[in-house]
Amino acid sequence: ETRDHLPGEMLERARKNGSAEDEGWRVRKDGSRFWANVVITALRDERGKLRGFAKVTRDMTERRRSEEALKAAREEAEAASRAKSEFLSRLEQEIEPASDRSHELRTPLNAILGFGQLLEIDEDDFASNHREAIGQITKAGRHLLSLINDLLDIASIEAGSSDLRIETLDLGILLEEAYSLARPIVASASLNFELERASVEIPIRADARRVTQIILNLVGNAAKYNRDGTFVRLTCQAEGAQVQVMVEDDGPGIAEAAAKRLFTPFDRLGQQDRAKVEGTGLGLALSKSLAESMGGEIGFEALPKGSRFWFSLARAELPANSTPGHITEDATESKCPTN
């Protein structure tokens, strides 16, 4: 029972067509509103004479709310996509390869950093407060340069003009080189860094520089946010036509709600409020773009204690003249399984 009345237009349609259907907000006797599906059916006797109407009302509020939530989410995603496309389009105009204008973003900043480093060399000539200010200049400059480089990378990938060099590589060698580069980053966080090497050569089709870049991004994040843990582990797994590279840690982990936003540009999941944790919020977004541009994927898994980030690449045949690399002395001597 509701307070609404039967619309004359619906009654007329039911009289002509036998039935009429409509949806809309209705009001119950207690004043509450609900989304109703209303069907009015004309009732006739055996001679076809109209004797009245039957009305069936179904409460469709939950379905309606779900549809509205889905629509709002879709509109929000479309708005974010439009904003990203517009931003990248403008950035692409600034860095169009044909005009070689990317230096317009980097050159002034490099000059600032250069003069800042010169002042740091002569820091004994300055008062302590001036030395602190000089340090802030160079620190902020490096942060901004990192942001610019990441933005230029994302823009070039989105524009399809990234300088990828896809070739057949030995993943084991790449892991060892990335381990060597990332070891100081992990050591600065007072964590143990473990590398699980492959028991056999694992050939992949990828860009060596970009694979290393993804690994450094993932290891850097693991070290940066793993203050309550003890280790960061770099490992791999080959199965079928795909190879997975994994970075694991035993830190505090990532909440399920926050995990959905992991690869969103500039979203640092609230870590921007922690002054000691630096970052641009672009590392994971860039890693995702790089992995996909090489035909792979990237993802995240929550562990019982800690987190695992992974990215996959296509397996390939290793050239006959390739030679396996040698693991660094401090690496953990365990095996990367292959199937």
Side-chain angles (χ1 to χ4, degrees):
E1 294 293 333
T2 65
R3 292 179 181 174
D4 64 316
H5 60 277
L6 299 180
E9 186 268 338
M10 283 191 69
L11 293 175
E12 182 62 23
R13 281 195 289 128
R15 186 184 66 80
K16 290 182 177 179
N17 304 322
S19 66
E21 184 175 1
D22 188 34
E23 287 194 8
W25 289 107
R26 297 291 189 274
V27 182
R28 298 186 180 92
K29 288 184 177 180
D30 62 5
S32 61
R33 297 173 72 243
F34 71 105
W35 186 265
N37 172 270
V38 179
V39 178
I40 298 176
T41 304
L43 302 177
R44 299 180 181 275
D45 60 20
E46 63 276 6
R47 292 175 295 183
K49 182 179 179 181
L50 182 64
R51 300 181 60 86
F53 297 92
K55 174 189 172 188
V56 176
T57 302
R58 291 187 297 166
D59 187 343
M60 308 294 287
T61 307
E62 289 305 317
R63 189 201 71 181
R64 176 65 177 180
R65 287 175 179 167
S66 297
E67 290 175 349
E68 289 178 344
L70 181 61
K71 179 181 178 183
R74 183 169 57 248
E75 290 176 349
E76 182 179 353
E78 290 173 350
S81 178
R82 287 194 299 271
K84 175 186 175 184
S85 297
E86 182 179 352
F87 169 77
L88 291 175
S89 176
R90 292 179 178 177
L91 188 60
E92 180 187 350
Q93 294 174 12
E94 290 297 316
I95 61 171
E96 184 179 356
S99 59
D100 193 24
R101 297 179 60 190
S102 62
H103 67 280
E104 294 184 11
L105 289 170
R106 291 191 177 101
T107 301
L109 185 55
N110 284 328
I112 294 172
L113 284 171
F115 282 112
Q117 290 163 357
L118 289 175
L119 292 174
E120 284 183 325
I121 293 174
D122 298 325
E123 64 177 10
D124 292 339
D125 298 334
F126 298 95
S128 60
N129 62 325
H130 290 161
R131 289 198 295 269
E132 183 178 349
I134 293 169
Q136 289 296 326
I137 291 173
T138 54
K139 180 180 178 181
R142 293 190 188 101
H143 178 81
L144 185 55
L145 182 59
S146 174
L147 174 61
I148 289 174
N149 288 335
D150 286 349
L151 284 172
L152 294 176
D153 275 340
I154 291 177
S156 64
I157 292 170
E158 292 286 336
S161 57
S162 59
D163 56 343
L164 290 178
R165 182 182 176 186
I166 304 297
E167 55 187 336
T168 301
L169 306 164
D170 182 352
L171 179 59
I173 295 176
L174 287 179
L175 291 181
E176 292 163 10
E177 292 175 348
Y179 172 81
S180 179
L181 292 171
R183 188 166 50 182
I185 301 173
V186 180
S188 66
S190 301
L191 300 169
N192 295 321
F193 192 16
E194 305 171 8
L195 170 63
E196 295 186 359
R197 68 175 298 177
S199 57
V200 297
E201 295 178 357
I202 302 179
I204 59 171
R205 291 290 294 171
D207 181 301
R209 183 169 66 91
R210 297 308 196 178
V211 171
T212 302
Q213 186 175 0
I214 296 174
I215 294 174
L216 293 180
N217 278 340
L218 297 183
V219 171
N221 277 354
K224 191 185 305 180
Y225 300 114
N226 190 21
R227 299 306 183 189
D228 299 327
T230 61
F231 73 86
V232 175
R233 179 182 298 119
L234 175 61
T235 184
C236 63
Q237 179 173 335
E239 183 173 359
Q242 294 291 312
V243 177
Q244 274 195 353
V245 177
M246 293 162 284
V247 175
E248 302 175 357
D249 66 72
D250 64 341
I254 300 172
E256 183 178 354
K260 298 177 181 177
R261 307 177 353 238
L262 271 172
F263 300 98
T264 303
F266 299 108
D267 192 338
R268 297 187 60 210
L269 311 183
Q271 297 296 335
Q272 63 272 16
D273 298 327
R274 298 172 58 183
K276 294 183 179 180
V277 181
E278 298 179 354
T280 63
L282 284 174
L284 288 179
L286 175 57
S287 296
K288 182 176 186 294
S289 295
L290 289 173
E292 292 176 350
S293 68
M294 292 185 288
E297 296 179 307
I298 195 167
F300 161 80
E301 298 174 27
L303 301 177
K305 187 179 188 321
S307 304
R308 175 189 293 129
F309 283 86
W310 58 267
F311 67 96
S312 64
L313 297 168
R315 200 171 183 177
E317 294 296 328
L318 198 64
N321 61 353
S322 65
T323 57
H326 299 282
I327 199 166
T328 54
E329 292 182 0
D330 297 333
T332 301
E333 289 286 346
S334 57
K335 302 300 183 182
C336 172
T338 59
N339 295 319

